[in-house]
């Protein structure tokens, strides 16, 4: 498939690299963090907020939008970009993971994933062909093949069976995409559970199917941090160097740093937005929980080093008041801050790679007191 990724600079000591990803709707600098907009909205933010924070690509969910309001309705209204007024890039997941983690009575069959909607119990069969049809209706710029997400833990034989089923689904996804979705990009997803040999095998098979980019799936599913990194390394070794790698569902700033140094280019995680709504805020010296009594009369911003709209205009005391009073404004103010933190963090990573001092940047990050309450 056509080259849609350009590496600008590689780090001499690690596998970190910075570059550009080209989609139909714009250029994306990598390594990139992609805010999650599951139901066609990055919760509590307008598209102007999201774009103003520097995001150039967001994620949406095939599973959720298929069930509500339906991909045909969105297609009739001009596709997801028009529907949600977001003119930049959108990546849609195929629904495999959400069916597995959200739906009731999910049954994995040869033809697809049979499940009952978590909304009204109605039964559906999500096949590779249907997943690609939904993503076409949404008109997303980067589409994911339908895969099975292997649970953790999972016995070797079952992991092998699900990995091979995933390979068959990905081949069918690619064929369906070839029929009428050529204006978008298609990413494959490697599986293999927590077994190094299956990880290498899956990465080799998915590479041979030839995609625009490759996601490493089946991680960030509750496994220990070092196991995630070991499976990541085994997968990446078998993936083509010149194509983008997307580590699905990762992660904390720490995880992102470790994954970037192993050659990952794309990340998604609900942490910054979900933690914002829970009052957990990221700062340059660790996380703080704004609902704690110690912030009751604290007139400092969340993070004195932060230049975001929230830190320039509001105190911790005010944000704590809003949170305790259940005022909805705190969702937007906290989310602006946390997304700004993540997107700035990625910009600092890209700059450090460009300037050739990514290793020092990583060391400095760990030396700084982590998780201190301030
Ligand atoms: C939190 N951890 C996490 N691990 C994942 C593994 C997989 C995986 O093996 N296969 C697929 N298809 N998706 C995964 C996802 C969902 C990522 C996502 C969410 C929202 C929108 C778009 C994309 C994962 N998320
Ligand atoms: Zn801030």
């Amino acid at each position: 498939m056509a080259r849609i990724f350009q590496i600008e600079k590689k780090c001499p000591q690690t596998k970190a690299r910075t570059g550009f990803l080209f989609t139909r709707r714009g250029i994306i600098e990598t390594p990139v963090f992609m805010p999650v907009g599951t139901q066609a909205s990055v919760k509590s933010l307008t598209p102007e907020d999201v774009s103003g924070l520097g995001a150039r690509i967001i994620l949406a969910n095939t599973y959720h939008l298929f069930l509500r309001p339906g991909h045909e309705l969105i297609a009739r209204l001009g596709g997801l970009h028009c529907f949600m007024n977001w003119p930049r890039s959108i990546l849609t997941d195929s629904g495999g993971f959400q069916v597995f983690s959200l739906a009731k009575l999910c049954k994995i069959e040869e033809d697809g994933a049979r499940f009952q909607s978590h909304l009204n119990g109605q039964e559906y069969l999500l096949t590779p062909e249907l997943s690609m049809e939904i993503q076409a209706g949404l008109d997303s710029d980067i589409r994911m093949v339908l895969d099975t997400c292997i649970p953790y833990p999972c016995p070797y034989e079952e992991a092998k069976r699900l990995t091979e089923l995933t390979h068959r689904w990905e081949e069918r996804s690619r064929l369906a995409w070839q029929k009428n979705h050529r204006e978008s990009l298609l990413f494959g997803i490697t599986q293999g559970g927590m077994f190094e040999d299956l990880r290498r095998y899956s990465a080799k098979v998915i590479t041979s199917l030839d995609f625009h980019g490759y996601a490493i799936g089946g991680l960030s599913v509750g496994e220990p941090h070092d196991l995630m990194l070991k499976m990541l390394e085994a997968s990446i070794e078998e993936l083509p160097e010149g194509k983008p790698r997307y580590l699905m569902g990762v992660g904390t700033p720490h995880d992102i740093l470790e994954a970037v140094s192993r050659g990952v280019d794309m990340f998604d995680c609900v942490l910054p937005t979900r933690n914002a709504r829970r009052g957990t805020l990221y700062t340059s010296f660790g996380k703080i929980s704004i609902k704690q009594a110690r912030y009751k009369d604290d007139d400092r911003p969340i993070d004195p080093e932060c230049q975001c709209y929230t830190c320039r205009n509001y105190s911790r005391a005010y944000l704590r008041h809003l949170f305790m009073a259940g005022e909805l404004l705190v969702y937007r103010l906290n989310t602006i801050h946390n997304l700004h933190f993540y997107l700035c963090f990625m910009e600092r990573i890209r700059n450090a790679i460009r300037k050739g001092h990514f290793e020092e940047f990583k060391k400095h990050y760990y030396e700084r007191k982590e998780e201190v309450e301030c």
Side-chain angles (χ1 to χ4, degrees):
M1 283 186 179
R3 292 185 65 78
I4 48 90
F5 179 56
Q6 187 182 319
I7 294 175
E8 177 201 357
K9 187 85 187 309
K10 293 178 191 171
C11 165
Q13 297 97 337
T14 70
K15 290 188 175 168
R17 74 265 189 95
T18 182
F20 304 95
L21 181 56
F22 303 95
T23 78
R24 196 173 132 211
R25 292 184 172 97
I27 299 173
I28 296 150
E29 294 182 71
T30 65
V32 61
F33 176 79
M34 305 181 282
V36 179
T38 295
Q39 301 187 106
S41 145
V42 177
K43 289 182 173 35
S44 81
L45 298 189
T46 65
E48 290 76 10
D49 289 334
V50 179
S51 191
L53 288 165
R56 292 296 173 267
I57 179 169
I58 61 169
L59 301 187
N61 247 309
T62 297
Y63 170 78
H64 294 81
L65 295 172
F66 167 67
L67 294 180
R68 182 179 55 191
H71 63 293
E72 282 116 343
L73 178 146
I74 292 176
R76 268 200 316 278
L77 297 179
L80 193 50
H81 292 82
C82 184
F83 190 52
M84 69 180 289
N85 184 34
W86 170 260
R88 299 179 187 280
S89 298
I90 297 176
L91 181 150
T92 44
D93 199 8
S94 51
F97 182 78
Q98 291 76 27
V99 162
F100 166 75
S101 51
L102 280 174
K104 291 195 290 269
L105 300 173
C106 168
K107 229 162 76 50
I108 305 284
E109 301 171 1
E110 178 60 38
D111 198 24
R114 188 175 300 282
F115 67 94
Q116 280 190 307
S117 161
H118 69 288
L119 298 176
N120 61 11
Q122 194 169 338
E123 182 174 298
Y124 297 95
L125 178 66
L126 182 64
T127 62
E129 295 76 17
L130 176 57
S131 176
M132 298 317 292
E133 185 193 318
I134 297 165
Q135 296 181 72
L138 300 175
D139 191 22
S140 54
D141 304 289
I142 301 178
R143 297 170 196 178
M144 305 307 295
V145 294
L146 183 67
D147 61 331
T148 67
C149 184
I150 297 171
Y152 173 75
C154 177
Y156 184 88
E157 281 315 311
E158 180 64 354
K160 188 168 191 306
R161 183 184 75 81
L162 288 172
T163 298
E164 288 170 340
L165 175 57
T166 294
H167 294 166
R168 294 195 291 278
W169 284 5
E170 297 203 22
E171 198 160 7
R172 284 169 52 191
S173 302
R174 194 183 192 294
L175 282 174
W177 174 82
Q178 249 164 325
K179 288 206 177 65
N180 69 340
H181 312 314
R182 304 299 291 270
E183 71 296 337
S184 61
L185 305 180
L186 185 66
F187 276 31
I189 305 175
T190 69
Q191 290 293 343
M194 301 301 161
F195 304 99
E196 269 201 63
D197 62 324
L198 291 183
R199 281 281 165 188
R200 293 183 195 286
Y201 164 62
S202 186
K204 280 189 188 122
V205 169
I206 300 304
T207 299
S208 70
L209 291 177
D210 185 26
F211 292 101
H212 290 107
Y214 298 89
I216 295 101
L219 295 177
S220 185
V221 289
E223 76 282 5
H225 178 83
D226 55 343
L227 189 52
M228 188 260 282
L229 293 179
K230 223 165 113 223
M231 293 304 112
L232 171 63
E233 284 165 8
S235 307
I236 282 206
E237 271 169 26
E238 310 300 338
L239 291 177
E241 218 246 345
K243 292 194 171 180
R245 293 91 171 242
Y246 166 19
L247 180 51
M248 304 189 93
V250 172
T252 65
H254 173 97
D255 289 346
I256 288 174
L257 266 182
E258 290 302 325
V260 165
S261 56
R262 289 167 174 79
V264 175
D265 308 296
M266 301 163 72
F267 299 91
D268 86 85
C269 183
V270 293
L271 279 176
T273 42
R274 182 179 295 170
N275 275 341
R277 297 193 301 280
R278 292 177 177 170
T280 300
L281 302 168
Y282 292 86
T283 75
S284 34
F285 33 82
K287 293 197 292 277
I288 65 174
S289 172
I290 199 65
K291 53 181 178 274
Q292 290 191 336
R294 68 171 76 181
Y295 302 121
K296 193 173 167 62
D297 55 358
D298 187 338
D299 65 356
R300 292 174 295 173
I302 298 168
D303 181 346
E305 291 173 27
C306 181
Q307 289 309 309
C308 86
Y309 165 72
T310 302
C311 289
R312 282 185 281 110
N313 293 287
Y314 306 95
S315 67
R316 294 167 177 184
Y318 178 66
L319 295 170
R320 180 177 182 281
H321 158 66
L322 292 182
F323 191 90
M324 302 313 280
E327 276 297 329
L328 294 176
L329 176 61
V330 76
Y331 274 13
R332 179 155 178 245
L333 296 178
N334 284 359
T335 303
I336 284 172
H337 169 78
N338 275 0
L339 266 191
H340 174 87
F341 180 89
Y342 258 72
L343 293 168
C344 263
F345 182 59
M346 301 314 292
E347 178 60 24
R348 295 200 340 259
I349 287 176
R350 294 191 292 265
N351 281 331
I353 298 171
R354 274 186 205 115
K355 294 193 190 105
H357 61 232
F358 173 69
E359 269 305 82
E360 296 80 83
F361 174 84
K362 202 171 141 215
K363 252 205 299 302
H364 167 73
Y365 176 80
Y366 291 133
E367 274 149 19
R368 194 211 56 227
K369 287 187 298 302
E370 180 55 275
E371 309 297 330
V372 72
E373 294 296 324
C374 74

